[in-house]
């Protein structure tokens, strides 16, 4: 008999988005003609930057000509894109060798696949509420999950707890779902904790491009000593609208060595075994993101999303509602007014404002009483939603 991985049976069903769908469908059936303002969207809505589209077209033309045609690409990424990504880090003072940069088809893939280079059954620390894929990938791997709850008191970005040890910790800044960011001091404390505990930090920087405060690190490698204890996973999904196009990157420093084994060499071996590289066409599109013009264009799109954040934050400020996020992240994590539960606030916003968001309790127990709004919706709908929230509680 085949011995399948029974850890899959330990995975919890996610009722969150199914329940949201059911409640909104029922509401629309009972209120025909009502239009909902959807602020729960976790996907980008603006198209790819023109400079990316141009590069994609040019790459398609390359593939049409024998002289410029590309077959299999290197499993670890095209040299031109590894160089462009290393150049992007260099602008922030982080020096990377090109062989430390691995091109991926998105952050989700690598956040789970990276567990391949650790033994099964390791201790993994998750800071709750957390992006659900961290937990599920670790459950599938049969790992022991330790939770550290974040809260309003620490701004949903906790300091490390010296009494906790783990092999791996996932840190996400800017955070999904809370929009919280880790200050330089907090990240330095986490790097010191990891070095002390001999743990590896998997730093999820998927939303780094949304950071607008200069003091907030975009990369864990802005912290001294991080190269010996951290892997960084990033994505062009939200920063450059690549959710449906797919491209990301992972940094595994050469300094990262455990038990005499280089994690960089292990990851090279893993990629060469489990992937056959990312499409040439997509990598050319991704390369365009890192040009000066590409950066200008993707930040114009981010500025449009940020204007949505401004409208929501202004409404919450007027209502005296506590929140974090928004300023440096595409998520706003607010405290339900009047001691309501997350689902009570969901129902109230749906029925009284026709606004749909995401209950915080869906991201773990310590999200109870909180609620996530995103800034990826249309400007008109977001402004209208903000005005209705302000009218209700302002
Ligand atoms: N990490 C976080 C925190 C996310 O919120 C997401 C997507 O929503 C991802 C990673 C996955 O991004 P990708 O589209 O690159 O797989």
């Amino acid at each position: 008999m085949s011995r399948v991985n029974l850890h899959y049976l330990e995975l919890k069903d996610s009722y969150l988005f199914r329940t949201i769908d059911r409640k909104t469908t029922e509401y629309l059936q009972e209120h025909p003609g009502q239009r909902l303002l959807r602020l729960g969207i976790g996907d980008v809505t603006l198209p790819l930057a023109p400079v990316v589209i141009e590069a994609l077209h040019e790459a398609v033309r390359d593939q049409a000509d024998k002289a410029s045609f590309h077959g299999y690409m290197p499993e670890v990424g095209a040299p031109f894109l590894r160089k462009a990504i290393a150049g992007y880090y260099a602008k922030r003072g982080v020096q990377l060798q090109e062989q430390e940069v691995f091109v991926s088809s998105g952050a989700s893939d690598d956040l789970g696949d990276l567990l391949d280079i650790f033994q099964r059954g390791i201790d993994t620390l998750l800071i709750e509420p957390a992006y659900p894929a961290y937990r599920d990938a670790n459950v599938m791997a049969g790992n022991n999950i330790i939770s550290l709850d974040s809260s309003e008191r620490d701004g949903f970005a906790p300091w490390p707890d010296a009494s906790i040890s783990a092999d791996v910790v996932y840190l996400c800044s800017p955070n999904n779902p809370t929009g919280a960011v880790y200050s330089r001091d907090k990240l330095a404390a986490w790097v010191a904790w990891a070095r002390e505990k001999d743990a590896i930090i998997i730093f999820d920087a998927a939303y780094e491009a949304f950071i607008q405060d200069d003091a907030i690190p975009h990369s864990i490698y802005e912290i001294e000593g991080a190269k010996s204890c951290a892997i960084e996973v990033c994505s062009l999904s939200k920063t450059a609208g690549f959710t449906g196009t797919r491209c990301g990157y992972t940094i595994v420093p050469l300094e990262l060595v455990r038990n005499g084994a280089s994690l960089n060499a292990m990851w090279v071996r893993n990629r060469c075994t489990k992937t056959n590289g990312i499409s040439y066409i997509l990598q050319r599109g991704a390369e365009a993101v890192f040009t000066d013009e590409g950066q200008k264009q993707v930040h114009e799109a981010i500025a449009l999303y940020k204007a949505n954040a401004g409208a929501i934050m202004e409404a919450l400020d007027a209502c005296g509602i506590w929140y974090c996020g928004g300023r440096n992240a595409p998520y706003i994590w607010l405290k339900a007014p009047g001691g309501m539960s997350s689902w009570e606030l969901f129902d109230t916003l749906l029925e009284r404002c026709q606004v749909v968001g995401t209950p915080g309790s869906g991201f773990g127990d310590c999200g109870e009483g909180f609620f996530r709004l995103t800034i990826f919706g249309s400007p008109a709908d977001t402004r209208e939603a903000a005005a209705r929230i302000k009218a209700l509680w302002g």
Side-chain angles (χ1 to χ4, degrees), residues 42-43 104-111 130-134 172-177 204-207 233-238 242-244 246-249 331 372:
D43 197 355
S104 71
S105 52
S108 283
D109 311 40
D110 282 14
L111 285 165
Y131 180 55
Y134 306 154
C172 180
S173 176
N175 191 276
N176 180 13
D204 185 346
Y207 298 101
V233 177
C234 202
S235 168
L236 297 185
S237 279
K238 306 295 165 69
F242 269 61
T243 52
R246 310 304 300 152
C247 196
Y249 49 93
Y331 301 110
R372 191 189 77 172

Side-chain angles (χ1 to χ4, degrees), residues 18-32 34 36 38 346-347 350-351:
R18 246 183 293 154
T19 311
I20 292 173
D21 271 353
R22 180 179 55 74
K23 279 178 177 271
T24 49
T25 306
E26 280 170 11
Y27 179 83
L28 288 173
Q29 279 163 357
E30 284 160 23
H31 303 84
Q34 282 278 21
L36 297 180
R38 295 186 186 271
F346 178 90
D347 292 337
L350 178 62
E351 281 155 25

Side-chain angles (χ1 to χ4, degrees), residues 90-107:
K91 283 189 193 143
R92 210 167 288 119
V94 174
Q95 303 304 327
L96 295 177
Q97 297 191 42
E98 287 163 32
Q99 69 205 95
E100 297 180 301
V101 179
F102 295 78
V103 177
S104 71
S105 52

